[in-house]
Amino acid sequence: MLALSGYPLGVQCLFLDRSADAPGAQVAPILVGELTDSALLEELAARSDVVTFDWENIPGSALEPLERTTRVRPPRAALEASQDRVVEKALFSKLKIPVAAHAAIDSKEQLLQATRKIGLPGVLKTRRLGYDGKGQFVLRDAAHIDAAWAAIGTTGLIYEEFLAFSREVSIVGARSAAGRTVFYPLSANTHEGGILRYGIAPLANTKLERSARKYLERVMHALGYIGILAIEFFVVKGRLIANEMAPRVHNSGHWSIEGCVTSQFENHLRAICDMPLGSTRALGHTAMINFLGKMPDRDRLLAIDGLAFHDYGKQPRPGRKLGHCTILRKHAKDRDKALAEVLSLIDST
Ligand code: AMP
């Protein structure tokens, strides 16, 4: 999606991925190998004016040498902060962005203490390499402590209070090297099993949007950020509690391809390539629905008026994001009707 948005701008992409059939390989040349392979990274840097990433589990040490020969954007500090949930929460707290009560856990004894101090229910998560609900265990009561420890017990964990949120929302924004910022309207996100199932945008809530922008701007400013940054929040009693950030184009911003004047992908490229940022104005009311685990019946979906279909060309695997579709309507109630139709069609495939 980055490469596709780059074509009209004259931006050519070159990818590095562990797999030769990565989605990017369908639309741009690719180097295949480990993301830590220094020869491949050197080649990538030599052939590029700017290096970016759309996955946050790349070791910072792989990017460090590239900084000497080319520009790496967003900055490595943002990547590294997003890789460890405890470091990330410390950054949010330093910037006065509310987070859930939490504790770093390296032993079962510490987990026991944390459940007493923070309370139950709670969520035990791996600090690193966790995404889409992977490496997580919800502890409903004290009887779950043993099971949680048996499931993911190791060092490098975090225990968080379980938040009874009314909604999950996210904000996506872009910052240029000169410090100019633009923000997309808020997206309201529905997760199932820890994975984003669908999102609707714009969520018309001026108060939440104002807070979300303020928080995102604070993080961007603190990190000297360049590119697209997303923060996911829980809404608890009408207030935002930050869950995590993503220093990259974000799934909850995919709706912007059809739903906004300038997509998040284009604005990411504009930001990292020092072009003026584009308008983030929404063109109507959208819903973005992920295709998880298996592809739906394409032609039945395409028969829905104005539906945009995105097949990433990935091999199916349970829970894997294989594509998405977006619907754009003039009125929110028509969008909601079309969303229900799409969800039931996907479920019946
Ligand atoms: P994460 O990997 O942190 O984004 O978590 C995936 C999903 O699990 C979130 O989008 C929530 O739906 C749920 N979740 C994670 N942490 C919490 C929490 N502290 N309280 C309630 N739900 C949570």
Side-chain angles (χ1 to χ4, degrees):
M1 290 182 271
L2 274 171
L4 291 174
S5 71
Y7 273 112
L9 299 174
V11 173
Q12 290 170 0
C13 290
L14 168 67
F15 291 106
L16 170 61
D17 200 289
R18 286 179 297 189
S19 156
D21 67 352
Q26 299 167 40
V27 290
I30 185 164
L31 305 172
V32 180
E34 288 304 316
L35 305 181
T36 48
D37 183 319
S38 51
L40 283 177
L41 287 163
E42 231 169 77
E43 182 182 348
L44 186 74
R47 291 172 62 183
S48 309
D49 298 312
V50 55
V51 172
T52 191
F53 41 85
D54 80 344
W55 191 56
E56 66 257 35
N57 289 325
I58 302 166
S61 56
L63 292 182
E64 196 184 350
L66 304 188
E67 291 166 352
R68 279 178 235 128
T69 53
T70 189
R71 290 173 296 176
V72 177
R73 294 172 163 181
R76 185 163 48 91
L79 176 77
E80 289 176 337
S82 74
Q83 287 175 334
D84 183 324
R85 292 180 189 275
V86 173
V87 174
E88 186 177 57
K89 282 189 168 52
L91 173 69
F92 288 150
S93 298
K94 196 177 98 189
L95 298 173
K96 307 217 169 356
I97 301 170
V99 294
H102 60 279
I105 305 291
D106 289 308
S107 68
K108 194 169 162 187
E109 183 51 36
Q110 284 179 347
L111 176 60
L112 264 168
Q113 282 169 11
T115 56
R116 285 190 201 120
K117 191 162 160 240
I118 293 166
L120 286 152
V123 193
L124 184 65
K125 301 179 180 177
T126 53
R127 282 171 66 164
R128 306 178 73 89
L129 300 173
Y131 63 98
D132 285 347
K134 293 182 178 72
Q136 296 194 15
F137 197 102
V138 177
L139 287 82
R140 301 264 162 223
D141 54 48
H144 281 141
I145 293 173
D146 285 340
W149 195 256
I152 51 171
T154 171
T155 53
L157 302 174
I158 182 171
Y159 180 74
E160 293 175 16
E161 72 175 309
F162 188 88
L163 294 168
F165 54 81
S166 56
R167 271 188 190 284
E168 293 187 75
V169 301
S170 58
I171 184 142
V172 173
R175 186 175 186 270
S176 71
R180 187 174 172 244
T181 49
V182 290
F183 301 97
Y184 287 89
L186 273 190
S187 163
N189 309 320
T190 299
H191 293 82
E192 279 170 23
I195 306 180
L196 181 63
R197 176 88 203 281
Y198 63 89
I200 56 169
L203 176 72
N205 185 319
T206 320
K207 186 176 152 240
L208 290 182
E209 188 151 284
R210 207 180 300 132
S211 302
R213 284 182 177 212
K214 190 175 69 184
Y215 295 152
L216 188 65
E217 174 117 58
R218 264 184 219 166
V219 177
M220 286 175 155
H221 181 77
L223 294 169
Y225 200 83
I226 304 171
I228 287 276
L229 178 70
I231 305 184
E232 294 181 273
F233 298 96
F234 302 114
V235 181
V236 181
K237 297 193 180 110
R239 284 183 67 232
L240 294 179
I241 313 267
N243 179 28
E244 58 183 358
M245 68 179 193
R248 55 172 167 81
V249 285
H250 193 250
N251 194 178
S252 71
H254 287 6
W255 68 276
S256 61
I257 298 175
E258 292 84 14
C260 294
V261 175
T262 315
S263 77
Q264 63 162 349
F265 299 97
E266 180 168 339
N267 260 335
H268 185 69
L269 293 180
R270 288 189 187 212
I272 66 169
C273 298
D274 291 327
M275 299 178 199
L277 300 179
S279 163
T280 52
R281 185 166 53 82
L283 300 171
H285 294 271
T286 62
M288 188 285 313
I289 304 104
N290 275 331
F291 303 146
L292 303 172
K294 64 176 187 228
M295 286 300 287
D297 185 327
R298 184 194 59 200
D299 292 355
R300 285 179 71 195
L301 280 178
L302 287 180
I304 296 174
D305 182 40
L307 180 140
F309 192 86
H310 298 261
D311 180 346
Y312 308 156
K314 288 178 173 175
Q315 287 303 314
R317 246 194 345 247
R320 193 174 196 201
K321 288 174 184 166
L322 303 175
H324 76 270
C325 65
T326 304
I327 40 181
L328 171 64
R329 293 287 182 270
K330 203 165 164 201
H331 301 291
K333 68 172 189 329
D334 296 331
R335 182 268 320 276
D336 293 343
K337 229 168 84 189
L339 168 63
E341 190 185 347
V342 170
L343 288 173
S344 86
L345 219 150
I346 291 175
D347 285 343
S348 69
T349 304

